[in-house]
Amino acid sequence: MSSQPNVTLTITLANPDLDAEEQERETRNLLREIKEFDIESVELVAVKEIPEASKSVGGFLLGVLRAEVSIGNTKKLLGFLGDRLGNKTIELEVEANGKKLKVKASSSQELTTAIEQAQKFVTGN
């Protein structure tokens, strides 16, 4: 059993071409797909305080998921996100060991770079 803390990933999908209903559907589809991974938890992010320029639907932030995953499974989940979201604009916030890394990507190349940064951040390399 590992004593390492889990990694928290906050994934924000930002597609200005989608209306709120389509954005919610895309987010829920991603949520369902991530649940198939060996992770601690994944959920829509409930509205507590709405950040500036954010929208909410049904008490949840529109397009925002939060996943908690073991350090060992982080690379697998990040790889999936790269494959699944390669050509979409996303913001990824990684929290590990009491530190946070926030990256934004709007192309496959930027997402690959962001995922590499996130993996290095998590592993400390």
Side-chain angles (χ1 to χ4, degrees), residues 92-118:
L92 183 63
E93 184 175 298
V94 182
E95 186 174 349
N97 303 319
K99 296 189 240 175
K100 287 185 182 182
L101 170 71
K102 193 170 192 176
V103 292
K104 184 174 181 176
S106 57
S107 70
S108 182
Q109 184 176 357
E110 287 178 2
L111 184 58
T112 299
T113 300
I115 287 172
E116 288 171 1
Q117 288 175 337

Side-chain angles (χ1 to χ4, degrees), residues 7 11 14-15 22 48 52 57 59 65 68 73 78 105 118:
V7 176
I11 305 152
N15 188 340
E22 293 168 324
K48 292 181 183 161
E52 192 175 321
V57 175
L65 297 174
E68 188 173 335
N73 287 326
L78 288 171

